[in-house]
């Protein structure tokens, strides 16, 4: 059984999922059966905010042309050269000329349903069109959650013969050894515990401006700072201005390595994930693994992942989120210990639904 895997990195947690999937498939498959196109790097492609970006060497038009050629020509040649029997794309893209069965992973449909909130330009439009084409052409579609699967059934008419739910793989942060490139200089230091923690790329869907607004309502009474960890995405100038105006009450660390992320989870009084929409909630699942209390936006996937282990507020209601944060701050040690025990049990259930055996079963079915 020969598998070709397109694991090219993307922004944020999708990259971490691809890297974890590659690592576990290489352990599970005999040597030579897995060919990886675009191996995810061991550090994030999202630079920390204190790193000065080098000017691009290619014009936008040339970069777009190179991306198009890589997607439609180079990738198809890679699959043929390795004699693959199955092709799997973690980024939901299938080359136009592909003659083997294809599996695509769909994390969410946000970019299709809300193009105005995404990146602008030709490349963004091309990626949306490629995603629609891939979902329609794939022999099998892997949804990142039951919530995403429901949207795929509604929007594309997929039935269960072509659709599976496999939770994304996550790195074991407890044993993580990855750090940002030390040559870039040290990132800003977080405050000492306790603090509220939000782990998200800075982009409109993550709803971080409302998180900052809610935190500002709690600050006069609680005096508990808010730490934001995640690379800069797009369209968040107003958020950066609010962070600057907070006079240190809110601290943005930029992208952090996995070992440092584990340290942040351990020190957090509570973890906030207040997105407008998610296909799967990595911060919620990771917070459960560390036994941390959770303040969540009331969207379907958060109910699916955390259930009764989260406290919820409507994603457009900063005042309600502020009340949830004050409730979590008032938990006593006995309640925190009880929550941590249940949260870790739930995290183990999530890990079982992300096991590499689910992918191997799909590969065998399509290769056979």
């Amino acid at each position: 059984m020969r598998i070709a895997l397109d694991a090219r990195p993307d922004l944020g947690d999708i990259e971490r999922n691809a890297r974890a999937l590659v690592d576990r498939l290489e352990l599970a498959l005999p040597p030579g059966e897995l060919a990886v196109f675009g191996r995810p790097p061991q550090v994030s492609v999202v630079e920390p905010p204190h790193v000065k970006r080098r000017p691009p060497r290619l014009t936008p038009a040339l970069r777009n042309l190179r991306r198009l050629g890589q997607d439609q020509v180079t990738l198809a040649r890679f699959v043929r050269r390795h004699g693959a029997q199955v092709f799997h794309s973690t980024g939901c893209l299938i080359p136009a000329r592909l003659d083997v069965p294809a599996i695509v992973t769909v994390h969410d449909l946000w970019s299709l349903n809300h193009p105005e909130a995404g990146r602008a330009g030709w490349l963004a439009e091309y990626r949306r069109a490629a995603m629609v084409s891939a979902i329609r052409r794939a022999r099998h579609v892997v949804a990142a959650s039951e919530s995403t699967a429901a949207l795929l059934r509604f929007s594309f008419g997929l039935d269960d013969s072509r659709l599976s739910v496999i939770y994304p793989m996550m790195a074991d942060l407890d044993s993580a050894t990855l750090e940002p490139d030390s040559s870039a200089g040290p990132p800003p230091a977080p405050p000492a515990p306790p603090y509220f923690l939000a782990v998200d790329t800075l982009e409109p869907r993550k709803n971080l401006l409302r998180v900052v607004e809610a935190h500002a309502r709690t600050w006069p009474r609680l005096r508990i700072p808010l730490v934001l960890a995640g690379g800069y995405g797009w369209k968040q100038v107003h958020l950066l201005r609010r962070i600057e105006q907070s006079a240190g009450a809110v601290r943005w660390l930029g992208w952090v390595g996995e070992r440092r992320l584990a340290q942040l989870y351990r020190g957090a009084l509570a973890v906030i994930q207040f997105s407008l929409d998610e296909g799967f909630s990595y911060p919620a699942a990771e917070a459960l693994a560390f036994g941390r209390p959770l303040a969540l936006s009331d969207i379907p996937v958060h109910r699916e992942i955390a259930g009764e282990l989260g406290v919820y507020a409507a994603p457009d209601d900063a005042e309600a989120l502020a009340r949830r944060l004050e409730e979590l701050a008032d938990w006593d040690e006995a309640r925190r210990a009880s929550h941590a025990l249940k949260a870790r049990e739930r995290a183990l259930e999530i890990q079982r639904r992300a096991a590499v055996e689910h992918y191997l079963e799909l590969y065998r079915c399509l290769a056979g």
Side-chain angles (χ1 to χ4, degrees):
M1 181 174 66
R2 290 179 173 269
I3 310 300
L5 181 70
D6 180 8
R8 284 175 291 173
D10 207 316
L11 187 63
D13 290 316
I14 294 177
E15 173 195 332
R16 295 170 61 202
N17 171 49
R19 187 169 65 235
L21 178 59
V22 168
D23 290 344
R24 292 171 201 179
L25 285 174
E26 287 183 332
L27 290 174
L29 290 169
E33 288 198 0
L34 179 68
V36 181
F37 184 79
R39 180 176 296 272
Q42 291 301 299
V43 294
S44 176
V45 296
V46 183
E47 294 175 335
H50 56 279
V51 177
K52 293 183 179 180
R53 296 180 182 271
R54 297 176 181 175
R57 296 181 180 178
L58 299 176
T59 65
L62 287 176
R63 288 201 303 272
N64 291 344
L65 186 61
R66 183 177 66 177
R67 175 61 188 258
L68 183 62
Q70 188 180 56
D71 288 351
Q72 302 300 331
V73 179
T74 309
L75 180 55
R77 288 176 178 171
F78 175 87
V79 175
R80 287 195 296 270
R81 184 168 67 250
H82 288 276
Q85 297 166 277
V86 177
F87 169 71
H88 180 189
S89 170
T90 62
C92 200
L93 181 141
I94 301 176
R97 299 194 176 192
L98 188 75
D99 53 6
V100 298
I103 300 172
V104 295
T105 297
V106 179
H107 295 271
D108 60 71
L109 299 183
W110 175 262
S111 63
L112 300 183
N113 295 331
H114 300 275
E116 74 287 349
R119 296 180 185 271
W122 177 89
L123 184 59
E125 294 178 4
Y126 158 72
R127 293 183 71 174
R128 286 191 289 269
M131 182 178 179
V132 171
S133 173
I135 293 171
R136 289 174 174 165
R137 293 173 53 212
R139 184 75 63 85
H140 203 86
V141 177
V142 173
S145 64
E146 298 289 352
S147 303
T148 298
L151 289 175
L152 286 166
R153 293 185 187 99
F154 176 79
S155 300
F156 290 90
L158 298 184
D159 58 41
D160 291 342
S161 66
R162 286 188 59 215
L163 181 63
S164 297
V165 176
I166 305 176
Y167 284 169
M169 291 185 180
M170 296 177 291
D172 183 0
L173 295 183
D174 269 329
S175 60
T177 58
L178 305 182
E179 286 288 1
D181 184 358
S182 59
S183 65
Y195 49 81
F196 296 116
L197 174 65
V199 182
D200 273 317
T201 301
L202 274 60
E203 51 114 333
R205 175 171 53 142
K206 303 303 182 177
N207 205 20
L208 290 169
L209 189 57
R210 283 200 178 93
V211 173
V212 172
E213 291 172 357
H215 176 261
R217 296 171 187 264
T218 71
W219 180 250
R221 182 174 84 85
L222 299 180
R223 310 300 287 185
I224 297 174
L226 170 65
V227 175
L228 304 180
Y232 185 83
W234 55 89
K235 298 181 180 180
Q236 294 295 275
V237 174
H238 295 301
L239 174 62
L240 296 181
R241 189 174 298 121
R242 286 295 299 271
I243 293 172
E244 291 176 358
Q245 293 170 351
S246 73
V250 181
R251 303 190 191 184
W252 176 40
L253 304 183
W255 177 84
V256 298
E258 290 179 353
R259 180 188 297 172
R260 196 134 190 270
L261 182 58
Q263 294 170 346
L264 289 171
Y265 277 123
R266 291 189 189 102
L269 182 74
V271 174
I272 308 168
Q273 232 273 334
F274 210 57
S275 299
L276 300 173
D277 181 75
E278 289 290 340
F280 179 84
S281 183
Y282 289 85
E286 290 169 345
L288 290 171
F290 282 92
R292 298 295 86 192
L294 275 166
L296 302 169
S297 54
D298 198 354
I299 58 177
V301 75
H302 284 159
R303 294 281 183 177
E304 177 183 341
I305 299 300
E308 63 180 12
L309 296 171
V311 298
Y312 298 90
D316 61 352
D317 194 341
E319 184 176 353
L321 175 60
R323 292 195 298 269
R324 301 290 89 78
L325 295 179
E326 291 182 345
E327 291 172 11
L328 293 176
D330 290 337
W331 280 14
D332 59 24
E333 289 304 317
R335 185 169 183 182
R336 291 182 182 280
S338 174
H339 170 87
L341 182 62
K342 296 176 182 177
R344 292 188 177 104
E345 290 174 354
R346 174 58 185 154
L348 290 175
E349 294 177 15
I350 293 171
Q351 290 175 17
R352 283 192 286 270
R353 295 195 62 178
V356 70
E357 286 76 16
H358 301 309
Y359 292 98
L360 296 175
E361 184 179 349
L362 274 179
Y363 296 159
R364 293 188 190 102
C365 180
L366 268 66

